[in-house]
Structure formats: structure tokens, C-alpha cells
Amino acid sequence: MLRLVVDRADLLHTRFGVSPLSELGALLRKFAGLAPLGQFERLRPAFDRLRATTDLDAVLALQSARHGANFVAPPPAGMQQTWEDDIAAVRATPLEMARAEAPGWGPSPDLVERVADTLEAAWETLLAADWPRLRAICESDVVHRAGRLGHGGWAEAFDGLHPSVRWRDGAIEISGRPGVRTVASDGAGLLLVPSVLVWPGLATYVDPPWRRAIVYPARGVGAAFASTSAALAELIGRSRARILVALETPASTTQLAYGLELATGAVGDHLAVLRRAGLVRPARSGRSVLYRRTPLGDALVRNGDL
């Protein structure tokens, strides 16, 4: 079990972040056989070409079932993180730090450059096109947890983060780890990073110089990748059915458009119909308007065996 001690100073400085590089790392772990690949099996031919033309096998060797080299996916700075920010952080890794985490590479003087070049090739080939959709899902999760934070504090915000995570006695406990390790508070807070591709697992950063962070499955992952039942699609139309399923987590029109790869205007029109039918309702959250299912909408989805 891993225990992350959290004091008052930590709670003041805990925040959310998104990380394109963390998503890429999670995808590469799936290809390495360390997690289920699911629908991304469609990328297998492109992945095989990368293995033949880059140092991808050596990068994959930096990961194991429980551990991995942190410098290939450093924690993000916050919610505005971009791919360019991520890869710049990798390229800025001191050579000695990279060597310490990648002993199998030997004394290679261009270790950092080769790893960064391989990650860039993998990003462009495997994940760049899907990132807007994945980012929308992650942002929707943050909106949900921010609402829970405002309603019941951090204990409620952490509730449901992952089956292995619980808040107890001033610490976040993560079960399923060998032995018991307690990581003391450093007053800098935690970084919470929602991820689509880390599902069904969980990742943590606990060793210096990295900020303590938890990468957890974003809400709505199942709905985003689920197929829509034929009966529900026939009843209200396929696009409206997909939107209703995706609203397992409240989301804005733009987030739905990205996540479902639909035109923003079309999503707005479908939401208007679903609202008039009493299946969804809007609520303002800051500058955004978020839609959520009504109890009638929930019942329709459940009865559709989705």
C-alpha cells in the first residue's frame, strides 16, 4: 500500500492538470502488453512501423508492470499543458538523471535526444489526431471533481477517483502496492491528472524531483468508447443517443463535439431536442454551460442496456 500524507498546506496547493505525454505513455504501455489495448488495436500496423524505424523498443523497455522512467512522462504544470510543453520538458532532462532511470541505454551521450525524437514520432503517428477528443474527456472530469470539491471538500472530490484509492486519517491510501510505503507531505500539494488511457489502472509520481501526482482514469471513459444500443439509436437517432450516453459526466457543447467528433453546431441542435424532451438539462459552471442527464435520461440509457 502507498500512503501519501496530505496536510493543510497540501490541500491549499493541490490542483488538476492534463498531460498529452502521460496519455502517450499509457498508450505505449498498452502496446507493450502491460495493459489492455482495446479499441486502439487499430493502431497496431502504425505501431509496428515505428518499432522498425525508431528506438521505440528501447523506450518501451523503460517500463515495467509497476514502474517506469519518469523523465519520459514528467508531471504536467497544469490544465493548459500542451504537447509542445511536454516534449520540451523531456528534452530539458539532465543527462545524468536520464541515465539513472535508463541504465539499459549505457553511456549514450544522445540518450535524451533519441528518447525525445522517438516520443515525437510516436505522438504524431499514434495519438495526435485523437488528442482533442481525449482532452475533452479529461476536462469534463475536472469540471465534475471541481463541483464535488465545492460541495463537500477534498474528501468528496477524491471519492470515486479509483477503486484502489481512499482518503483516511490525513492521507491518500492506494492499495494494491507491495508492502507499505508512506510518502511524507512536502507542502507543495498534489497534482491530479485525469487520463483516458491509463484505465483501468492508476499511475503515481512520488520520488524527487517530481511533484507528487496521481494519474487516474477520467470519468466517462466507458461512455466515450461504448457502442450505442440499436434500440436507443432507432428511438432518438444515433447522434442523439451517443450524446445522451456521453453525458454520464456533465459536459459542454464543445467538449461533446470534440469527444464524439461531431460538429459543434450539430451537437447544439441535438442538445436542444434532448432538452425539450426532458432528457437533459443545462447548468452554468463559471463561463461554461454544462449539460447533464435528467433522471428520465438516466432511465432511458439504463433501459437501453448500454
Side-chain angles (χ1 to χ4, degrees):
M1 180 176 66
L2 176 65
R3 297 184 74 252
L4 303 178
V5 177
V6 179
D7 62 17
R8 182 175 299 179
D10 286 313
L11 294 179
L12 288 173
H13 295 100
T14 292
R15 64 176 184 268
F16 293 93
V18 295
S19 173
L21 191 52
S22 288
E23 292 293 66
L24 177 63
L27 179 61
L28 293 179
R29 288 178 65 83
K30 291 178 184 294
F31 275 115
L34 300 176
L37 189 56
Q39 69 153 339
F40 286 91
E41 182 65 42
R42 61 185 167 83
L43 297 175
R44 177 70 67 178
F47 172 78
D48 289 339
R49 288 194 296 272
L50 281 170
R51 292 183 65 187
T53 58
T54 70
D55 289 314
L56 188 57
D57 280 345
V59 171
L60 293 176
L62 299 176
Q63 308 294 326
S64 69
R66 293 191 177 275
H67 303 286
N70 288 333
F71 83 94
V72 301
M79 289 299 297
Q80 304 306 314
Q81 193 86 354
T82 65
W83 169 254
E84 290 72 22
D85 296 328
D86 276 340
I87 199 64
V90 174
R91 292 191 183 279
T93 304
L95 180 58
E96 290 309 310
M97 178 187 296
R99 284 176 172 169
E101 291 196 312
W105 284 66
S108 173
D110 58 350
L111 163 61
V112 174
E113 180 181 356
R114 288 168 60 193
V115 168
D117 288 346
T118 300
L119 292 173
E120 287 221 79
W123 171 259
E124 292 298 333
T125 302
L126 301 175
L127 206 54
D130 281 308
W131 174 239
R133 179 166 62 123
L134 304 188
R135 185 181 189 107
I137 295 170
C138 293
E139 290 176 342
S140 181
D141 176 273
V142 171
V143 170
H144 166 77
R145 299 214 173 267
R148 299 193 70 172
L149 173 63
H151 181 267
W154 278 112
E156 185 166 328
F158 280 115
D159 186 42
L161 204 71
H162 189 270
S164 67
V165 176
R166 67 173 177 174
W167 175 283
R168 192 177 74 159
D169 297 334
I172 297 170
E173 296 182 345
I174 302 175
S175 61
R177 311 295 173 97
V180 178
R181 179 184 180 186
T182 298
V183 180
S185 167
D186 58 9
L190 292 174
L191 186 64
L192 303 176
V193 184
S195 166
V196 175
L197 294 173
V198 77
W199 183 91
L202 185 84
T204 58
Y205 295 81
V206 295
D207 296 314
W210 315 110
R211 181 173 182 176
R212 295 188 306 166
I214 300 175
V215 183
Y216 65 92
R219 282 173 53 89
V221 172
F225 295 139
S227 59
T228 304
S229 77
L232 183 60
E234 185 176 356
L235 177 65
I236 64 175
R238 177 167 174 76
S239 293
R240 290 171 192 160
R242 292 179 66 206
I243 290 170
L244 197 61
V245 171
L247 286 175
E248 173 187 340
T249 302
S252 69
T253 302
T254 301
Q255 289 168 339
L256 288 167
Y258 273 128
L260 299 175
E261 299 181 322
L262 297 172
T264 302
V267 171
D269 292 341
H270 290 314
L271 284 170
V273 174
L274 294 172
R275 180 181 180 183
R276 289 196 296 272
L279 301 178
V280 304
R281 63 173 180 267
R284 182 163 293 280
S285 177
R287 297 182 179 180
S288 300
V289 175
L290 303 182
Y291 289 84
R292 66 185 70 232
R293 290 198 303 246
T294 63
L296 178 60
D298 286 337
L300 191 59
V301 169
R302 287 195 301 271
N303 290 338
D305 293 326
L306 300 178

